[in-house]
Amino acid sequence: PNPVETYLNLEFNEQPEHLSIIDSYGRKTKLTATNNLIDFRHVPQGSYILLVEFKNTKNYFRIIKK
């Protein structure tokens, strides 16, 4: 769910090659991901961009950390 408090559950048709969390200053935030879960427990509250990279495409999603 969005906003997220602890973990963000992702479901994709194909496995992404790379995941990044970008803060409002454009800095990449440390990311811990296992299976389809991204751990947001240690990420400060705020607005973030989730960058999901596949073989030929990049997708951007706005994420709110509560």
Side-chain angles (χ1 to χ4, degrees), residues 1-5 40 44-48 62-66:
N2 193 12
V4 63
E5 290 186 34
F40 268 86
Q45 290 182 348
S47 180
Y48 295 87
R62 179 178 298 271
I63 303 296
I64 308 272
K65 168 60 166 57
K66 223 170 147 178

Side-chain angles (χ1 to χ4, degrees), residues 4 6-10 12 15-23 27-44 48-53 59 61 63 65:
V4 63
T6 54
Y7 293 95
L8 178 65
N9 185 22
L10 303 173
F12 298 108
Q15 187 68 24
E17 291 188 0
H18 189 73
L19 297 171
S20 300
I21 300 289
I22 303 165
D23 69 13
R27 299 177 299 207
K28 288 189 178 179
T29 301
K30 185 177 179 183
L31 173 67
T32 304
T34 50
N35 297 327
N36 291 341
L37 291 177
I38 297 178
D39 186 353
F40 268 86
R41 292 177 297 171
H42 303 290
V43 175
Y48 295 87
I49 299 295
L50 171 64
L51 169 59
V52 182
E53 297 181 63
N59 295 297
F61 303 93
I63 303 296
K65 168 60 166 57

